[in-house]
Amino acid sequence: MRLAVIGGSFDPVHQGHLAIALAAKRLLSLDRVIFLIARQSPHKAYRPNFSDKQRRGLLDHFTSQYNYIDLLDERLINKKNNFTYFSLQKINHSYRPARLFWLMGADQLEKLHLWRNIDGFLQLAVLVIFARENYLHKLNSYHFARKYQPYRLTYERLKIARSPGWYC
């Protein structure tokens, strides 16, 4: 199984989130896409504008017509400050994918080096970064991009890549 995860607080979910999931389905020949709902982003100072229930409801509404999209709100239920690395471990254990990808917008690159256990994260999933206006031109200035440059994948290698690796 080829599985991708797109995580975030989705406060609120918007067409860009769905566009990433749909593009990744095609680009990576995915079997499933999981929206992993975070209670609150640990790298954003503000609390979500929408309640947990409202965000889940909006995601249900946005994704209900796509039978290959799952919603996982494990971090909402858990109430603890959970980190992406641990969530990916659980997903890897539960789904047992042949390939696991993490999807994100380029706006998240600036703080990616602050994520807990980013090295372990990259061992679990290939990171696929989608362009976002006003961010991609700064790619090489980001700490993550400089540190992990040796693991950057070409488009040709992306479909067959195993961790560690990242593509933008």
Side-chain angles (χ1 to χ4, degrees):
M1 176 191 331
R2 296 174 65 83
L3 171 69
V5 180
I6 179 171
S9 58
F10 304 105
D11 185 42
V13 65
H14 53 74
Q15 287 295 334
H17 296 125
L18 190 57
I20 285 174
L22 299 178
K25 168 86 164 106
R26 265 189 336 274
L27 176 72
L28 302 170
S29 303
L30 298 172
D31 298 301
R32 309 237 28 103
V33 176
I34 293 175
F35 277 76
L36 181 63
I37 310 164
R39 183 168 180 76
Q40 179 180 352
S41 172
H43 301 292
K44 293 183 180 172
Y46 60 87
R47 298 197 49 75
N49 296 310
F50 292 88
S51 72
D52 298 348
K53 187 176 180 179
Q54 288 172 317
R55 290 184 287 138
R56 173 65 190 237
L58 287 168
L59 273 166
D60 277 333
H61 175 75
F62 259 75
T63 62
S64 62
Q65 70 188 58
Y66 304 99
N67 63 357
Y68 57 87
I69 294 179
D70 295 330
L71 304 182
L72 184 61
D73 53 4
E74 175 181 319
R75 293 190 278 183
L76 289 177
I77 295 166
N78 191 352
K79 304 289 185 197
K80 290 183 189 175
N81 190 6
N82 207 337
F83 297 96
T84 303
Y85 170 72
F86 299 118
S87 297
L88 271 182
Q89 280 186 315
K90 290 176 185 176
I91 289 168
N92 201 28
H93 180 74
S94 298
Y95 285 82
R96 298 277 186 216
R99 295 270 192 324
L100 183 59
F101 300 90
W102 180 268
L103 312 175
M104 66 189 306
D107 59 312
Q108 298 299 311
L109 274 175
E110 189 173 8
K111 295 186 178 179
L112 192 59
H113 67 285
L114 301 174
W115 287 23
R116 176 156 305 178
N117 198 2
I118 191 66
D119 292 329
F121 168 92
L122 288 172
Q123 294 299 320
L124 292 172
V126 173
L127 178 61
V128 182
I129 302 160
F130 284 81
R132 190 156 173 189
E133 198 173 324
N134 298 325
Y135 287 95
L136 212 49
H137 70 281
K138 298 188 270 185
L139 176 66
N140 292 326
S141 69
Y142 293 130
H143 177 82
F144 173 86
R146 290 191 314 270
K147 180 177 179 181
Y148 294 97
Q149 183 60 35
Y151 299 106
R152 189 167 184 187
L153 302 168
T154 62
Y155 176 75
E156 294 77 26
R157 298 232 347 116
L158 178 60
K159 277 194 171 185
I160 60 170
R162 292 209 180 266
S163 302
W166 66 283
Y167 171 80
C168 185

